Amino acid sequence: MNDRARPLLSAGLALGIGMGGFVDGILFHQILQLHNMLSARVPNTDYVGAKVNMVWDGFFHAGVWGITAAGILLLWRAGRTADASLSGRLLGSSLLMGWGLFNLVEGVIDHHLLQLHHVYEPVGLSIWDYLFLLWGAGMLLFGWALARSETAR
Amino acid sequence: MRLVLRLAMIVVGAWPVRGFACTMCHSPQAVSVRARLLQPDLWFNLCATLLPLLLLAWMIGMVATPSTSRSHAR
């Protein structure tokens, strides 16, 4: 990997992971209420279960907030590094890769291996969980192809 | 006089009165929520919740660190 690209690439990855995590938490957990952090282990169908899941959603959001904060720091560092690439295309591609990585890692560990929750909880592990992975893989590959074309210039 | 007022405000602010704004603090539902949270699976739930994020943070660290720095560190 081109060392000039590392500072911006790592910042974009962190911010992309943050974007993916917040979209998952805000859109799927809170607005659409398709699942919660531990909804396959602690059913969220009664008041206490919903409250317990809300606590674990909070821990998840706190972790995502930490990664996003690290992304801001990395972006600041990239801006101050003398020979670091500051290409907008590289930033965009790394954001895509970060978001895709989030879907893949979170999807494989939480949905498939540990079975903490599933995309559409009422039906458990379903086609939606595989589509979530496919969505992540698509973003990762597209971002990777964009980054490669940029660093090859 | 201002010092006395400030001290009085601190004392009033720190007085251990029931938090009226916290609807969850003393209700029977709050007791149930705390009891469910503090079951023996607490640590599993915490580790499981944070595991993907820790793995992703490690990946960011790997990308941020130049390969030469990593080989020097060995």
Side-chain angles (χ1 to χ4, degrees):
Chain A
M1 188 192 299
N2 181 349
D3 276 354
R4 283 188 62 236
R6 279 181 188 278
L8 191 61
L9 198 57
S10 54
L13 272 182
L15 292 171
I17 289 166
M19 294 293 285
F22 281 130
V23 165
D24 187 350
I26 294 168
L27 185 65
F28 293 155
H29 294 209
Q30 294 176 325
I31 296 176
L32 299 177
Q33 305 200 359
L34 297 178
H35 62 256
N36 291 104
M37 196 61 222
L38 295 184
S39 51
R41 288 171 58 79
V42 181
N44 56 2
T45 45
D46 60 25
Y47 183 79
V48 170
K51 280 287 189 185
V52 169
N53 270 287
M54 197 185 285
V55 172
W56 292 112
D57 284 349
F59 277 99
F60 169 71
H61 279 135
V64 172
W65 185 93
I67 289 180
T68 307
I72 294 169
L73 283 175
L74 287 167
L75 191 61
W76 177 76
R77 198 182 71 163
R80 289 174 62 93
T81 303
D83 59 343
S85 167
L86 292 176
S87 146
R89 196 179 169 118
L90 185 63
L91 179 64
S93 62
S94 55
L95 285 169
L96 284 172
M97 283 195 285
W99 191 327
L101 259 181
F102 171 84
N103 277 25
L104 279 177
V105 171
E106 198 270 344
V108 167
I109 294 178
D110 289 350
H111 301 198
H112 293 265
L113 296 179
L114 299 179
Q115 305 261 340
L116 300 182
H117 61 253
H118 305 99
V119 172
Y120 185 52
E121 200 64 79
V123 294
L125 189 64
S126 68
I127 183 76
W128 295 108
D129 296 286
Y130 293 98
L131 286 174
F132 188 74
L133 292 182
L134 200 63
W135 170 19
M139 283 182 110
L140 181 61
L141 285 175
F142 184 57
W144 181 73
L146 267 180
R148 259 185 76 92
S149 67
E150 177 62 25
T151 50
R153 277 183 189 177
Chain B
M1 188 63 190
R2 287 178 68 182
L3 182 66
V4 173
L5 267 175
R6 278 185 190 171
L7 284 173
M9 284 169 72
I10 289 170
V11 170
V12 169
W15 201 258
V17 291
R18 192 159 158 171
F20 292 108
C22 179
T23 54
M24 282 296 292
C25 292
H26 305 286
S27 65
Q29 292 86 351
V31 174
S32 304
V33 170
R34 280 195 288 271
R36 178 60 191 89
L37 275 172
L38 299 176
Q39 281 184 9
D41 63 356
L42 173 73
W43 296 110
F44 173 83
N45 291 338
L46 184 65
C47 293
T49 299
L50 296 180
L51 177 65
L53 299 176
L54 292 173
L55 193 59
L56 288 163
W58 174 76
M59 288 179 188
I60 295 165
M62 292 295 284
V63 172
T65 314
S67 47
T68 47
S69 305
R70 280 204 299 274
S71 56
H72 283 308
R74 276 180 202 148

